[in-house]
Structures are given as structure tokens and as C-alpha cells.
């Protein structure tokens, strides 16, 4: 680490690990409920578990992005954060708001918008928290000794992500309008501005890990930003096909969303090409695996599996089924979970000064988590295709179909166990690295 204030990042990453672990617990609750083992039903019914599972996901990813920003921005700006104290205040208040929201979910205090279930009162606190975060990042950038494309793209992603939280807070009486604007948050996040955050982190990591010139790497970043906006904004239309809005969206959504995989393809090519071109071989192989892995798996999960159900002709049948869950898992995993795990793997040795670079557990964590998640994706996919066929072609009754897919959830649980062992190892290594310390300041490569 080059700047003392980067240490803040460590505590964001630590919170991130904790929330991630909790997310998996709720995944298992649902998995078991799906095969009829629903003993917790009275305490955590399926719908509560689902809301907690997905909101924890969003919360730990955002915590990870914030940690990444607190690590990357000082280094790219060549100066300390403007206030370390306020950064800790932001961390603690983020944790408190998050916990309050999640506890509330267990008492049915939530709003019925999938992924945006946090009740309105807490939304305001989220806004204050995010403003504090952005204030610290923008303030640091403002006083920066150097402003790089990497730091600007990352910050642009974070600022837009914050702005796009707002449409989800407006009240609409009409279900159609409500749904229309919900996608401004959910879609424009994951298929728009979060991609900029991912691109920024990816670019930072590639500069550090491959030794390729910044100029070359950042030129690609412009291409990625361009492709993302070109396809992602109007690509929102793939959620408007049959929700009660103008039919023009069938064509607009179909065409533009079909172009979205290009941005992910560009990121994958970008990472692999830079890796090949790189002359410097950084000893932190585990960070390199997660980095290249994120770029490739995101192309498969978001690009290919997204494309699989994005055309109106297909989506008519697959909408809202386990096919969506298949894509949701692999896309979130590849694009956002893996890039957060990549930046943590890179930052940890630098923050703690302990260079356990090529440890076995780290490699094992990478492979077990990836094999497990691939298996889970296949299980969801098979269940999804069967569901679509039985429910929407054979017109079988909904619950009867759910029963028929049980066996695939046994497979899901087995694969999720492999996945969880991998993540367990990752967290174990995280803890073993120890705390950040000032001695690490001089040990930077
Ligand atoms: C990393 C990027 C992505 C992530 C994290 C992601 C995640 C998700 C999630 C969680 C859903 C369910 C949303 C909900 O019902 O509230 C969803 C839906 C969908 N995604 Fe993605 N996605 C990504 C990229 C893409 C791309 C690039 C495409 C198209 C090529 C795509 C196509 C779709 C479609 C068509 C749906 C609607 C499914 C339905 O009708 O039920 N996604 N995505
Ligand atoms: C122990 C591991 C996990 C298990 C057993 C698990 C299981 C599940 C189940 C059963 C659902 C509900 C599907 C339905 O509606 O029937 C679900 C939803 C979801 N999970 Fe997981 N999950 C796990 C880990 C993860 C991870 C690591 C991620 C992200 C990287 C993730 C992202 C999601 C998303 C985005 C949804 C909502 C999908 C949709 O909208 O269709 N899960 N999960
Ligand atoms: Fe979308």
C-alpha cells in the first residue's frame, strides 16, 4: 500500500466477507425449501429468504465497490483520502442501515419491488450514506495530484449508480409505471453503470498485474464505456416486452439488448489480450486468476446466458422462470462477485504486508467456487428449461411443475456446497492475512 488512508478499504472488505457469508445461508434456506425441507418456514419463509438473499448480494457488492474505491482512488490520485474519520463513519452507518433493513425484512417490513425491497424511510438514510461516500471520493479526486481515466471511469460509475437509485424511490400508483422505473435501477445498474465500475477496477488490476502501459489499457476502457452505453441504455427495453407499455419496445429492446454481450466480450478480450501482452509477471497469481476469470465468466453469464433469453420470442416463454435465476447467478457471479474478490485478493497482501501470494488455499478457493457455481448454473438451467416446457407448453399447473423440478434442487444444493467450501477457504485466507498495518507501507511492489 502506498497511502495510509487506503487501510479503510480493508474494513469495507471485511464487512463484505461477512455479508457474503450470510447471503449464502439464505441461499441454502431456499434450496432446502425447494426440496420440501422447509422446517424454518415459520421464521424465514421462502419470500423473506429470497429478499434477504438478493439484498445481501447487492449490499456486499456495493460494500466491495466502496472498498475498491477507497483503495484505488488514493493510489491513482497520488494523495491520501480527504478524511479517514468520515470514511469510518460512512462504513459504520452503512453497516447499521444494512442490518436495520435486513432485520426488518424478517418482520415483513419491506416494499414489494424485487431487489429494491428496502422501505422508503431507510432509503433516505441510504442516500445520506452514499452522499457521504461520494463526497469523500470526489473531494479526493478534486485535490488529486493526478487524474487517470481509470479513476474517472470508476467514479463515473459510482456517481451514476447513486443517481440511478432515485427512480426506485418515486411512488407510482400504476403497476406498469412502477415496473417501468424499477428497471431504471435494476437494469441500468447491472447492464450499465456497474459495468463502468467493473471496467475501472479491471483496468486498475490489469495495470498492476500485467505491467502493460497505462495508455494502452485505458484506450480499451473508452471502447468498453462506449459499447456499454450504446447497447445498455436502450437494452432496458428487454424488460418492457409484455408489461403493458408501447409495443415499440419489442423491437428496440430486442435489437439493443442483443448488442449488450459486445461490451462483455470486449472486457474478456481486453483482459486476456493484456495478460498475454504483459511482460511483467506479478507474483500475485491468485489476484490474476480472479481478474481474468471475472472477465471471462461475466461474458458467459451476462453475455451468452443473457442473450439466451433476451429476444422477445424467447422471453415470452422464459420470463420470470428459473431460466432467469440461472442467468442471474452466473452473471452476478462472473461480473461483480468475481471482480470484488479480485480486488480484495490484490489489495490484501499490500494492506497487510504479508505476501502469501501463491498459497494453496487461495487457488483451491478459486476453483471450488467456480466449479460449484458452474454446477449451480447448470442445475438452475435444466430446472428452468423443464419448467418452461411443462408450464408454458404443456400448460401444466404451476405447483405441479415445481414438484417436478425438485431433483434439480438436490443437484443445486450439492454444487452450492462445493461453492460454499470454496468461499469458506477464501474467507479463511482473508482472516489469516491479519489486519492492515503501517509497516505494509514500505513493502509495496
Ligand atoms: C453483469 C450483468 C448482468 C447481471 C448481473 C444480470 C442479472 C440479471 C438478473 C438478476 C435478472 C432478474 C431481474 C429481475 O427479475 O428483477 C436479469 C434479468 C434479465 N437479464 Fe440480465 N444480467 C446481466 C446482463 C444481461 C445481459 C447482457 C443480457 C442480454 C444480453 C441480459 C438479459 C436479461 C433478460 C432478458 C432478463 C429478463 C428475464 C425475465 O424476463 O425474467 N442480462 N438479469
Ligand atoms: C449457497 C449458494 C447459493 C444458493 C444455494 C442459492 C440459491 C438460490 C435460490 C434457491 C434462489 C431463488 C430462486 C427461485 O426464485 O426459485 C436464489 C436467487 C438468487 N440468487 Fe442465489 N444462491 C446461492 C448463491 C448466490 C450467489 C453467490 C449469488 C450471486 C453471485 C446469487 C444470486 C442470486 C440472485 C441474483 C437471485 C435472484 C434470481 C432471480 O431474480 O431470478 N446466489 N438463489
Ligand atoms: Fe436487463
Amino acid at each position: 500500500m502506498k497511502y495510509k488512508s487506503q487501510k479503510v478499504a480493508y474494513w469495507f472488505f471485511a464487512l463484505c466477507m461477512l455479508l457474503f457469508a450470510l447471503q449464502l445461508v439464505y441461499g441454502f434456506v431456499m434450496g432446502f425449501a425447494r426440496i420440501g425441507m422447509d422446517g424454518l418456514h415459520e421464521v424465514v419463509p421462502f419470500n423473506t429468504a429470497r429478499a434477504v438473499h438478493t439484498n445481501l448480494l447487492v449490499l456486499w457488492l456495493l460494500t466491495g465497490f466502496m472498498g475498491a474505491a477507497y483503495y484505488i482512488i488514493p493510489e491513482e490520485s497520488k494523495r491520501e483520502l480527504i478524511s479517514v474519520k468520515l470514511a469510518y463513519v460512512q462504513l459504520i452507518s452503512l453497516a447499521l442501515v444494512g442490518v436495520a433493513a435486513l432485520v426488518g425484512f424478517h418482520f415483513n417490513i419491506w416494499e414489494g419491488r424485487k431487489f429494491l425491497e428496502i422501505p422508503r424511510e431507510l432509503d433516505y438514510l441510504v442516500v445520506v450514506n452514499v452522499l457521504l461516500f461520494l463526497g469523500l471520493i470526489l473531494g479526493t479526486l478534486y485535490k488529486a495530484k493526478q487524474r487517470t481515466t481509470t479513476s474517472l471511469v470508476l467514479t463515473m460509475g459510482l456517481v451514476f449508480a447513486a443517481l440511478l437509485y432515485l427512480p426506485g424511490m418515486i411512488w407510482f400508483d400504476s403497476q406498469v409505471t412502477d415496473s417501468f422505473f424499477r428497471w431504471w435501477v435494476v437494469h441500468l445498474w447491472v447492464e450499465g453503470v456497474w459495468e463502468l465500475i467493473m471496467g475501472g477496477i479491471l483496468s486498475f488490476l490489469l495495470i498492476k498485474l500485467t505491467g502493460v502501459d497505462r495508455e494502452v489499457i485505458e484506450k480499451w476502457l473508452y471502447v468498453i464505456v462506449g459499447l456499454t452505453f450504446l447497447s445498455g441504455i436502450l437494452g432496458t427495453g428487454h424488460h418492457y416486452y409484455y408489461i403493458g407499455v408501447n409495443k415499440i419496445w419489442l423491437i428496440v429492446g430486442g435489437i439493443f439488448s442483443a448488442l449488450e454481450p459486445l461490451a462483455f466480450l470486449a472486457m474478456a478480450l481486453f483482459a486476456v489480450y493484456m495478460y498475454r501482452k504483459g511482460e511483467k509477471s506479478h507474483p500475485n497469481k491468485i489476484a490474476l486468476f480472479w481478474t481474468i476469470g471475472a472477465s471471462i465468466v461475466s461474458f458467459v453469464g451476462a453475455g451468452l446466458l443473457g442473450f439466451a433469453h433476451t429476444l422477445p420470442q424467447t422471453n415470452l416463454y422464459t420470463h420470470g422462470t428459473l431460466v432467469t435465476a440461472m442467468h442471474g447467478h452466473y452473471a452476478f457471479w462472473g461480473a461483480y462477485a468475481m471482480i470484488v474478490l479480485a480486488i480484495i485478493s490484490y489489495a490484501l497482501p499490500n494492506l497487510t504486508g504479508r505476501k502469501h501470494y501463491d498459497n494453496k488455499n487461495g487457488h483451491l478457493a478459486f476453483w471450488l467456487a467456480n466449479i460449484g457455481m458452474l454446477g449451480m448454473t447448470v442445475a438452475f438451467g435444466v430446472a428452468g428449461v423443464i419448467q418452461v416446457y411443462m408450464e408454458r407448453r404443456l400448460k401444466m399447473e404451476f405447483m405441479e411443475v415445481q414438484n417436478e423440478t425438485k431433483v434439480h434442487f438436490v443437484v443445486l444444493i450439492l454444487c452450492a456446497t462445493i461453492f460454499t467450501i470454496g468461499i469458506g477457504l477464501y474467507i479463511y485466507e482473508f482472516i489469516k492475512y491479519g489486519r492492515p498495518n503501517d509497516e505494509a507501507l514500505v513493502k509495496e511492489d
Side-chain angles (χ1 to χ4, degrees):
M1 126 184 111
K2 293 186 174 134
Y3 298 91
K4 267 190 185 177
S5 51
Q6 285 177 298
K7 273 191 298 186
V8 179
Y10 177 88
W11 297 104
F12 277 82
F13 294 152
L15 176 63
C16 184
M17 294 287 98
L18 182 71
L19 298 169
F20 185 14
L22 262 180
Q23 187 215 346
L24 301 187
V25 174
Y26 288 85
F28 278 111
V29 170
M30 283 189 286
F32 280 108
R34 280 283 197 163
I35 58 172
M37 297 169 75
D38 201 9
L40 287 175
H41 186 85
E42 294 305 319
V43 197
V44 197
F46 189 89
N47 62 332
T48 305
R50 202 181 199 286
V52 176
H53 183 65
T54 50
N55 280 265
L56 270 170
L57 169 66
V58 174
L59 186 61
W60 81 257
L61 291 177
L62 288 175
T63 308
F65 291 162
M66 288 172 177
Y70 283 129
Y71 186 85
I72 293 174
I73 296 297
E75 196 155 321
E76 290 284 294
S77 306
K78 295 206 161 111
R79 61 155 291 143
E80 301 281 358
L81 282 176
I82 49 172
S83 168
V84 174
K85 252 192 212 140
L86 285 178
Y88 283 115
V89 170
Q90 194 247 316
L91 171 70
I92 293 165
S93 55
L94 178 74
L96 290 179
V97 177
V99 169
L102 294 162
V103 170
F105 288 0
H106 291 81
F107 297 95
N108 281 331
I109 307 174
W110 69 27
E111 288 179 0
R113 293 192 181 95
K114 190 176 158 196
F115 279 102
L116 307 175
E117 284 95 345
I118 298 186
R120 197 58 42 92
E121 297 73 20
L122 285 178
D123 276 340
Y124 294 114
L125 292 180
V126 173
V127 170
V128 174
N129 184 273
V130 171
L131 282 177
L132 178 55
F133 165 71
L134 288 179
L136 291 171
I137 295 299
L138 290 171
T140 306
L141 264 183
Y142 178 71
K143 295 192 173 165
K145 296 210 173 64
Q146 147 189 315
R147 283 186 209 97
T148 64
T149 307
T150 300
S151 62
L152 292 178
V153 170
L154 175 62
T155 308
M156 194 165 89
L158 293 163
V159 170
F160 284 158
L163 285 176
L164 281 169
Y165 190 68
L166 305 178
M169 288 174 60
I170 311 169
W171 183 263
F172 297 103
D173 286 328
S174 149
Q175 168 74 47
V176 174
T177 333
D178 195 84
S179 194
F180 189 90
F181 286 103
R182 185 181 78 93
W183 290 112
W184 282 31
V185 194
V186 177
H187 170 99
L188 289 179
W189 264 4
V190 300
E191 291 155 72
V193 296
W194 282 27
E195 280 178 64
L196 306 190
I197 299 174
M198 180 191 177
I201 299 176
L202 191 60
S203 158
F204 176 80
L205 285 167
L206 290 173
I207 290 170
K208 298 289 171 182
L209 295 171
T210 66
V212 175
D213 282 349
R214 176 183 289 280
E215 291 71 36
V216 180
I217 290 189
E218 291 183 338
K219 242 181 242 157
W220 270 83
L221 200 51
Y222 283 113
V223 177
I224 289 163
V225 173
L227 284 173
T228 301
F229 283 147
L230 174 83
S231 61
I233 297 175
L234 287 174
T236 320
H238 66 176
H239 302 290
Y240 294 162
Y241 294 152
Y242 311 106
I243 69 166
V245 297
N246 197 303
K247 285 292 165 223
I248 187 84
W249 288 110
L250 288 171
I251 293 173
V252 175
I255 292 175
F256 284 91
S257 71
L259 294 174
E260 282 181 40
L262 288 179
F264 288 97
L265 179 64
M267 267 196 271
L269 292 176
F270 169 50
V272 171
Y273 181 58
M274 292 307 146
Y275 167 65
R276 292 237 175 113
K277 194 175 154 77
E279 268 143 33
K280 178 171 117 193
S281 150
H282 194 285
N284 194 341
K285 291 281 176 289
I286 294 171
L288 189 68
F289 269 62
W290 284 109
T291 305
I292 307 291
S295 75
I296 295 172
V297 178
S298 65
F299 172 61
V300 179
L304 296 182
L305 295 183
F307 185 79
H309 59 160
T310 206
L311 297 177
Q313 295 87 337
T314 339
N315 195 260
L316 179 62
Y317 291 95
T318 59
H319 174 69
T321 61
L322 291 164
V323 170
T324 308
M326 160 197 74
H327 154 71
H329 278 85
Y330 216 44
F332 259 119
W333 169 248
Y336 304 123
M338 286 182 76
I339 202 71
V340 167
L341 298 180
I343 184 75
I344 295 178
S345 300
Y346 172 76
L348 215 49
N350 298 338
L351 288 167
T352 60
R354 298 185 57 193
K355 304 200 164 171
H356 272 219
Y357 284 141
D358 243 340
N359 64 77
K360 272 211 182 74
N361 281 345
H363 282 285
L364 207 56
F366 175 86
W367 288 110
L368 288 177
N370 270 292
I371 292 167
M373 184 49 87
L374 183 60
M376 287 167 62
T377 306
V378 173
F380 271 125
V382 174
V385 171
I386 288 173
Q387 183 190 3
V388 169
Y389 187 73
M390 290 183 170
E391 194 181 309
R392 301 190 176 171
R393 295 298 291 231
L394 302 183
K395 310 281 182 206
M396 279 166 67
E397 206 264 324
F398 180 81
M399 286 312 286
E400 205 183 322
V401 174
Q402 299 298 313
N403 240 344
E404 293 293 326
T405 57
K406 250 186 189 172
V407 61
H408 305 292
F409 282 89
V410 175
V411 179
L412 179 88
I413 290 173
L414 287 176
C415 296
T417 306
I418 299 175
F419 174 80
T420 305
I421 295 172
I423 298 306
L425 279 175
Y426 188 99
I427 297 176
Y428 172 74
E429 279 302 312
F430 181 93
I431 296 170
K432 235 179 64 185
Y433 257 106
R435 308 266 173 89
N437 60 70
D438 287 339
E439 282 147 50
L441 270 175
V442 281
K443 293 188 188 166
E444 173 81 352
D445 296 319

